[in-house]
Amino acid sequence: MKIVILERNSVGTDVSVDCIKDFGEVTIYPNTVTVDEVRQRVKDADIVIANKSPMREETLKDAPNVKLICEFATGFDNCDLEYCSSRGIKVTNVRDYCTGMVAQHTFALALALSQKLFHYDQYVKSGQYSAQDRFSNFDLPFTELEGKTWGIVGMGNIGRRVAQIAAAFGCKVIFHSITGKSTCTDYPQVDKDTLLAESDFLSLHCPLSDLSRNFIDAAALKKMKRTAVLINVARGPVVNNKDLYEALVAEEIAAAGLDVVEREPLEESNPLSRLKDSNQLIITPHLAWASVEARTRCVEEAYKNIQAFLRGDSRNVVNP
């Protein structure tokens, strides 16, 4: 078997991928970006391991031997599933490897914003705390999670974990299903307008699709509470970045925590790059999934997917 890992660095150089060598000859590239790079690097491969590299006709048409594409990720929107199926190419992803970490990061963002942690940390480190004549400082008001309404979009494994944690903090949990097909009965399911109007915290955990793209836009933001905090740990285009920028500047919502943006890495042309107040906006570089433990599990799950495929078993296959 000839195996190509197109984006080895996507799981971090501190995590070994040597186990993949159990299956054959492995060629490893730190990163692969352009269509031409992908085309050249996969042309002799039997198995391709990718993350964001485009897997579609223009990159695969000259690679007649490809039988399996393994994602180093849960998302597979970089793959043209219809084309892969027409070629008999199986596409697999890894599932549930980072559920706990993404949920943890969701609350790291929410708590940092709602408790104004950056402001008070800087207040102490600047010397202002030492110079004051009282033992405490709470000049910038902050609030509790208990008693608040936590809204969720996307009640999959991550959404459910977030719901459990929010409930443990004493929040009322509501959710909205973009497809309308959710079978979750543990929490009230509401329509979009109700979700926007009632949520004090709104976290996004849905996949990117035509239904979810620009789900949070100018119209949606205007329906949210001015005190609301928006958290996006799903996919960047679920939130219209220009509309969010304008809403934050106009103080239509209180704050936003983003681990994803429309185009990554964050471009200078993205208006959100101009907002420097970390009490109003926190952006992390698409790392919510990336604890050492989660990245290790990601590689292990990809290994198991290849192992199953070579045995003739179907494991985590996402296309017919």
Side-chain angles (χ1 to χ4, degrees):
M1 281 287 168
K2 291 186 177 180
I3 303 168
V4 174
I5 301 177
L6 292 176
E7 297 155 281
R8 185 263 177 275
N9 289 358
S10 67
V11 292
T13 56
D14 57 327
V15 170
S16 175
V17 297
D18 287 348
C19 59
I20 305 298
K21 296 177 182 178
D22 289 352
F23 303 118
E25 176 188 336
V26 181
T27 303
I28 298 174
Y29 298 98
N31 199 23
T32 302
V33 178
T34 69
V35 167
D36 285 341
E37 285 178 334
V38 177
R39 186 187 296 117
Q40 288 298 317
R41 293 173 179 182
V42 304
K43 63 182 181 180
D44 296 321
D46 297 296
I47 296 174
V48 177
I49 300 177
N51 187 313
K52 301 297 183 187
S53 296
M55 297 283 102
R56 50 184 186 257
E57 183 173 6
E58 64 180 326
T59 56
L60 296 170
K61 63 182 180 180
D62 297 322
N65 300 326
V66 174
K67 305 174 185 67
L68 175 68
I69 295 171
C70 271
E71 295 280 7
F72 263 164
T74 300
F76 46 86
D77 46 287
N78 62 313
C79 285
D80 182 338
L81 296 185
E82 185 176 350
Y83 173 76
C84 290
S85 295
S86 74
R87 284 267 311 272
I89 300 170
K90 295 297 184 183
V91 179
T92 64
N93 68 345
V94 291
R95 304 172 187 178
D96 300 334
Y97 71 101
C98 62
T99 297
M101 186 60 236
V102 177
Q104 178 177 313
H105 195 71
T106 298
F107 285 91
L109 292 171
L111 292 168
L113 289 164
S114 64
Q115 293 185 212
K116 307 295 190 291
L117 292 185
F118 287 97
H119 168 78
Y120 286 111
D121 177 64
Q122 185 57 35
Y123 183 82
V124 172
K125 290 176 179 174
S126 69
Q128 290 176 275
Y129 180 48
S130 298
Q132 72 175 40
D133 59 1
R134 54 195 172 107
F135 78 95
S136 183
N137 182 282
F138 41 84
D139 291 345
L140 190 62
F142 53 93
T143 58
E144 300 177 355
L145 267 65
E146 186 170 359
K148 302 298 189 297
T149 296
W150 190 291
I152 292 174
V153 178
M155 195 57 87
N157 291 330
I158 294 173
R160 287 172 186 261
R161 182 72 63 88
V162 168
Q164 293 167 358
I165 298 170
F169 270 111
C171 295
K172 172 189 174 183
V173 176
I174 60 176
F175 80 98
H176 174 71
S177 170
I178 292 179
T179 64
K181 297 178 181 178
S182 176
T183 59
C184 177
T185 58
D186 296 330
Y187 309 96
Q189 184 173 174
V190 300
D191 59 37
K192 183 177 180 178
D193 284 349
T194 301
L195 179 88
L196 296 169
E198 294 187 4
S199 295
D200 297 296
F201 294 86
L202 177 56
S203 59
L204 309 177
H205 310 286
C206 52
L208 180 63
S209 69
D210 290 340
L211 292 174
S212 64
R213 190 180 299 275
N214 288 318
F215 181 82
I216 299 296
D217 58 7
L221 289 158
K222 290 181 188 302
K223 294 176 181 178
M224 294 176 68
K225 297 180 180 181
R226 287 189 172 270
T227 54
V229 175
L230 174 69
I231 306 293
N232 186 12
V233 291
R235 287 290 184 265
V238 175
V239 176
N240 185 297
N241 286 190
K242 177 178 178 293
D243 291 352
L244 176 59
Y245 168 79
E246 292 174 353
L248 289 170
V249 170
E251 298 183 351
E252 290 178 351
I253 65 171
L258 310 176
D259 186 54
V260 288
V261 291
E262 285 180 339
R263 291 180 63 87
E264 297 170 347
L266 180 68
E267 298 175 331
E268 290 185 7
S269 59
N270 188 322
L272 291 173
S273 67
R274 301 199 290 268
L275 292 179
K276 306 301 182 184
D277 182 359
S278 294
N279 297 297
Q280 186 182 43
L281 175 67
I282 299 175
I283 304 177
T284 51
H286 204 145
L287 54 70
W289 63 280
S291 65
V292 173
E293 296 90 342
R295 289 183 285 115
T296 300
R297 285 192 293 269
C298 181
V299 175
E300 291 171 349
E301 286 296 301
Y303 179 96
K304 292 175 183 177
N305 288 343
I306 297 172
Q307 190 176 52
F309 173 80
L310 294 176
R311 285 199 309 260
D313 297 335
S314 179
R315 184 179 193 272
N316 294 335
V317 176
V318 297
N319 62 330

